[in-house]
Amino acid sequence: MLQNEKVCFSGVQPSGNLTIGNYLGAIKNFATFSNDYRCFYCVVDEHAITVRQVPAELRRRTYETLALYIACGVDPEKNTLYVQSHVPAHAELGWVLNCFTMFGELSRMTQFKDKSARHADNVNAGLFTYPTLMAADILLYQTDIVPVGIDQKQHLELTRDIATRFNSVHPDTFTIPEPYIPQTGMKICSLADPTKKMSKSDENPNAVIYILDDRDTIIRKFKRAVTDSGSEVRMGEGKDGINNLITIYSVLTGKSVADIEREFEGRGYGDFKLAVGEVCADALAPVHARFDELMADKAGLEAIMKQGAENASRAAYRTLSKVKKKLGFVI
Ligand code: TRP
């Protein structure tokens, strides 16, 4: 590893149900960071248990999530891909950072407030300290940038506050990370309500294209996408449905909006929806093929996880030993 190489870190929840919004807005970027950064992408199983999980499903989704990232182009040779619970340094630093985080700060986190309302019967301490474990994930690797969705911005700000506080007591311990939030132009919206972001937890499966949806499902969902009562394939005010479909088509084909409008001049919404569905299914076909191959070889995925955990541990323990020394632990 180069000494002055910049570090990129992101954590992904073990959910196989990623959407084309996740793919186009985030995962495709993940693959490009490895040209300029040393990248760590971690499947955060320890964060997942802050809400109840079915063990067999959590285990399956951990494999699936890893396989899906690789299938989407995140090369395990160029990136460190691993599972959080395989590197105990995360939980260890998480404890230390709990002692540098204020009760009031955690109480103000909107994700905590939302999740404790949604899981009122299980407002556990892990849910409350979720952000300190996330700070540990990031700070362990002396991370420079963290690609995340806008919903994680508040957690990133807290991470910076915790790191700054620790550094003010024990100078030169942590790099202060910057969030990297993709521009909103790339926002992919729900097919059922195109004023809302496409969300993997949407209750209406027709609103969402999952990366793993099969060809017929993809085409059917696009056919049913909600649009306005007009018929011209043109970007415009109040045409959220068509605007969203044009964005998706443009991102998938690399064509400009003007070119797309010309291509579909006089052809109506039906034709256009079918074209978007076909382009999307074509783009995802190689991802599916690669995913199936990877999932059929559990041992191969385990070897990737193991190698990733070794690489990550080496970097993590450098920071953790420094922290322990600074705190006065006998090491
Ligand atoms: N909280 C993030 C999410 O829900 C997942 C996450 C855990 C994460 N640790 C992280 C993201 C560290 C970025 C960096 O999406």
Side-chain angles (χ1 to χ4, degrees), residues 9-13 44 47 111 130 134 137-138 146 148 152 155:
F9 182 97
S10 197
V12 293
Q13 296 263 7
V44 292
H47 279 107
Q111 186 170 306
Y130 179 113
M134 177 162 162
D137 297 342
I138 296 167
V146 185
V148 278
Q152 295 299 313
H155 287 162

Side-chain angles (χ1 to χ4, degrees), residues 33 43 61 64 73 86 88 95 98 125 146 155 161 196 223 227 249 254 258 266 319-320 327:
F33 280 117
V43 181
R61 287 204 308 264
E64 282 180 358
H86 293 178
W95 172 256
N98 272 337
V146 185
H155 287 162
D161 290 344
K196 277 192 343 202
K223 268 194 198 153
T227 45
Y249 192 76
T319 301
L320 191 63
L327 290 168

Side-chain angles (χ1 to χ4, degrees), residues 121-162:
D121 56 339
N122 184 23
V123 184
N124 62 73
L127 196 61
F128 189 63
T129 61
Y130 179 113
T132 57
L133 180 59
M134 177 162 162
D137 297 342
I138 296 167
L139 300 176
L140 266 179
Y141 299 93
Q142 306 294 346
T143 300
D144 296 284
I145 61 157
V146 185
V148 278
I150 186 85
D151 61 317
Q152 295 299 313
K153 191 161 175 258
Q154 195 186 30
H155 287 162
L156 246 297
E157 276 157 14
L158 179 61
T159 300
R160 290 165 57 88
D161 290 344
I162 297 170

Side-chain angles (χ1 to χ4, degrees), residues 81-82 86 301-311:
L81 290 170
Y82 70 105
H86 293 178
L301 284 175
E302 282 161 4
I304 291 170
M305 288 177 188
K306 184 158 177 277
Q307 183 62 53
E310 274 169 24
N311 291 347

